[in-house]
Amino acid sequence: MSRSVPPTASDSPTVAPAHESGLGRIVRNSAFNAVGTILIVPSNMLALFVMAQRLGAQPIGTFFTIFSISAVIHWIADAGTTTVLTRHVARNPQRLKTIIPESLGVLCVVCCVSTTLFMLVAVPWMSFFTDRVSFAVVIVAASAMWSRHALDFAASALRGLERFEYENFSRVVQTCSFCVFVWLWVHPSTGGALAAFIAYAASNVIAAIIIWWTLLTKWDCAGFRLNREIIRRWWTESIPLGAGDVIRQFLMQMDTLLLAAFKPQAIVGMFSIAARPLQPLQLLPKIIVSVTFPMLSRAAQVDLAAVNRLFVKTTKILWAASLPISIGLSMAAQPIILATAGEDFIDAARPLQILIWSTGLIFINAQLRFVLTALDSEKAYWRLICWTLAVKLGLEAALIPLWGLYGACIGNILGEIALCIGGALALHRLGVKSPNWLDFLRPAPAAVAMTLIMWPYADHDASLLSVIIAGIAGGIVYAIVALFSGIVPWSDLQRIWRSLRKPAIVASLEPAAVVAVAETADAIPN
């Protein structure tokens, strides 16, 4: 695929002052993502707990069954189009009045595909596996998918403009309003699962209206375009991403599926408890990589060396961020298992201590999709995931019958290693080199210091509270030692401080101000 011509300074309405470094923007936008996540997770949990307490097992089971089906269909129907939208906007913000009307046309196609697939799957599923199916619930759930797709598309456009505050604000509004609606509306007497889906759909409609109003009014880019050429062009770019994402998710579940094929269900349950912390941890690197993706997409057109510098810096940061998580959960495995799953699952502590060391690889591998997409190499991503699938399938098919639970743990780590090595080779062929391997040893003193602090609490009798306190203390020591070890150079810290003290102010009608390619040279940290 050919790369589009980068816009020049004269193509953009105005160019913002260049004092806000790229590293500073990464920190500020990652902070927006982190704060949004911190606010969203407890609100979601509160809403779900309230529904569970009020509705009981059968209605809440109906809600989660339909919700899970809609989530999978939503993800398949998207097929990478939102990632393509972010890349288009990041590279050509001056063409926003063309890109957004095209994206609205693509959004309508995605919504139609999503609804059709959902109805084809949800209705037979509910008819076959439940006593009865409520068509009202299915229809409301389908309408919620439209508003959810709309929210995702507008958020992706604003990511391309590096305006993460609007996305996070809208998602916080969605979650909080859902929580409020559940508290006010959802009771057995108001419809049970139907009322829950009405609350969910209404909250998504509110958030979608807010974010689209912001995008269309502040950037004056309303319109609608859809034809065969637009569909061909967008899906040619997005389908390899969507297919790769489907296989990547299957990779995440392969351990459990192969264990279920070769071993008793009790072993599968033990592994599921041990692997449970890995699921939310997969969200953490996206806080950073979603921020760097627009910068990578712009830089890929004009300066491959800048892509290399940003990839190396991000890799080192992700690796350093993963180590305290791995150390903390490894040291606290037994108290955590006892507190969350009980004495019956204490045998899951050792597998957790093994699995958690894949966190660093998961963090590093999370950016491969975005870096390859920024380099217009979606097909390379697809081939990489297929190769990893074949390697991991062969490894686990051999290891699980031999070693059972521990074979699945080792196969999981070897699969992430295969993905990491394959990704490094794919990027090397495209001219992007990996960090010096000695850089991965730089956090070692900080890791040793944290381990020494937590070691006394790594036993069966330690209370969860004492482990949490030790983990916080160890994390603080890790951060201090890491800074003095030079993981983040002092010059970068000074640039971050300057950018946080004097952030660029972007006028609402000047969307290219913060993303003009004239600033690209300063946007990528050295």
Side-chain angles (χ1 to χ4, degrees):
M1 183 183 300
S2 60
R3 295 178 185 171
S4 55
V5 178
T8 62
S10 59
D11 292 325
S12 302
T14 59
V15 177
H19 63 258
E20 187 184 24
S21 73
L23 187 58
R25 291 213 306 277
I26 291 173
V27 172
R28 286 202 307 115
N29 290 331
S30 296
F32 281 129
N33 286 346
V35 171
T37 301
I38 291 171
L39 293 174
I40 287 169
V41 170
S43 298
N44 261 332
M45 295 299 292
L46 178 60
L48 297 178
F49 286 145
V50 170
M51 285 196 299
Q53 290 177 355
R54 290 181 179 177
L55 301 183
Q58 195 277 331
I60 203 70
T62 300
F63 177 85
F64 277 113
T65 299
I66 296 179
F67 183 85
S68 298
I69 294 172
S70 67
V72 172
I73 298 298
H74 174 102
W75 177 58
I76 293 173
D78 179 271
T81 51
T82 49
T83 302
V84 170
L85 173 57
T86 300
R87 182 173 64 185
H88 285 179
V89 173
R91 289 182 173 178
N92 300 291
Q94 81 287 352
R95 293 187 60 246
L96 205 63
K97 292 185 179 181
T98 300
I99 296 171
I100 296 304
E102 287 187 3
S103 73
L104 282 169
V106 172
L107 170 61
C108 288
V109 175
V110 168
C111 288
C112 290
V113 171
S114 185
T115 303
T116 302
L117 290 176
F118 176 71
M119 298 299 290
L120 289 174
V121 173
V123 173
W125 183 284
M126 297 301 293
S127 300
F128 185 78
F129 289 105
T130 62
D131 296 334
R132 58 189 176 87
V133 58
S134 169
F135 285 101
V137 171
V138 173
I139 290 171
V140 173
S143 68
M145 296 176 71
W146 279 67
S147 55
R148 193 70 182 183
H149 281 300
L151 175 59
D152 288 347
F153 266 70
S156 297
L158 289 164
R159 285 178 208 153
L161 295 169
E162 295 191 47
R163 302 306 298 266
F164 288 83
E165 65 270 33
Y166 294 122
E167 175 190 358
N168 284 285
F169 175 76
S170 299
R171 294 195 187 279
V172 169
V173 167
Q174 184 273 317
T175 309
C176 292
S177 59
F178 176 54
C179 192
V180 171
F181 293 157
V182 165
W183 184 267
L184 295 176
W185 296 345
V186 179
H187 298 273
S189 59
T190 59
L194 176 61
F197 269 111
I198 291 174
Y200 180 70
S203 65
N204 277 286
V205 168
I206 292 172
I209 290 173
I210 290 173
I211 197 169
W212 274 104
W213 178 265
T214 301
L215 177 62
L216 297 180
T217 57
K218 284 185 174 292
W219 279 269
D220 189 23
C221 54
F224 184 89
R225 291 185 62 194
L226 181 64
N227 54 49
R228 185 176 298 177
E229 171 59 23
I230 291 173
I231 293 175
R232 184 199 64 78
R233 178 160 38 86
W234 278 70
W235 266 269
T236 299
E237 297 180 54
S238 70
I239 284 177
L241 283 174
D245 289 341
V246 170
I247 296 177
R248 176 60 171 153
Q249 290 301 314
F250 178 67
L251 277 172
M252 297 290 186
Q253 304 301 323
M254 184 189 298
D255 321 287
T256 303
L257 295 174
L258 289 177
L259 265 178
F262 290 110
K263 297 296 178 180
Q265 289 300 305
I267 300 295
V268 178
M270 202 69 68
F271 179 83
S272 299
I273 292 296
R276 187 167 54 183
L278 295 180
Q279 297 173 359
L281 289 178
Q282 293 169 18
L283 301 176
L284 296 181
K286 294 181 180 179
I287 291 174
I288 297 176
V289 298
S290 65
V291 169
T292 58
F293 176 56
M295 300 170 68
L296 288 166
S297 297
R298 281 196 309 280
Q301 310 177 96
V302 295
D303 186 2
L304 191 59
V307 175
N308 207 138
R309 291 195 298 271
L310 184 56
F311 172 69
V312 168
K313 186 175 291 290
T314 305
T315 300
K316 291 191 290 187
I317 290 173
L318 289 171
W319 173 253
S322 72
L323 284 180
I325 296 172
S326 298
I327 294 169
L329 288 177
S330 178
M331 294 289 104
Q334 287 192 358
I336 288 175
I337 293 295
L338 286 172
T340 58
E343 186 75 35
D344 292 342
F345 290 93
I346 190 61
D347 289 339
R350 189 71 65 189
L352 171 57
Q353 290 173 324
I354 298 172
L355 281 171
I356 200 61
W357 290 101
S358 67
T359 303
L361 296 166
I362 291 172
F363 276 34
I364 293 172
N365 292 339
Q367 63 181 329
L368 294 176
R369 176 186 189 272
F370 295 97
V371 179
L372 289 169
T373 303
L375 295 169
D376 296 322
S377 297
E378 299 90 350
K379 292 181 180 179
Y381 172 71
W382 154 254
R383 289 192 296 269
L384 170 63
I385 295 298
C386 289
W387 177 82
T388 306
L389 173 64
V391 171
K392 186 174 181 180
L393 183 61
L395 287 170
E396 294 202 339
L399 293 173
I400 289 176
L402 290 175
W403 297 334
L405 184 61
Y406 293 99
C409 296
I410 295 171
N412 180 284
I413 295 176
L414 292 177
E416 292 297 329
I417 291 174
L419 179 58
C420 188
I421 293 174
L425 293 174
L427 290 173
H428 186 77
R429 287 193 291 269
L430 294 169
V432 177
K433 297 180 181 179
S434 301
N436 188 316
W437 291 107
L438 293 176
D439 291 332
F440 292 100
L441 299 178
R442 197 178 290 272
V448 171
M450 182 176 181
T451 302
L452 291 175
I453 290 175
M454 293 200 67
W455 188 269
Y457 301 92
D459 63 52
H460 187 282
D461 297 326
S463 69
L464 184 61
L465 179 60
S466 64
V467 169
I468 291 173
I469 294 173
I472 293 172
I476 294 172
V477 170
Y478 178 92
I480 294 172
V481 177
L483 289 176
F484 281 99
S485 298
I487 294 174
V488 179
W490 288 106
S491 58
D492 283 352
L493 293 175
Q494 291 170 351
R495 292 166 66 190
I496 292 171
W497 177 247
R498 287 195 301 269
S499 67
L500 293 176
R501 290 181 61 191
K502 291 183 65 178
I505 304 300
V506 182
S508 62
L509 297 179
E510 296 173 350
V514 78
V515 294
V517 173
E519 195 188 356
T520 298
D522 185 59
I524 309 299
N526 295 318

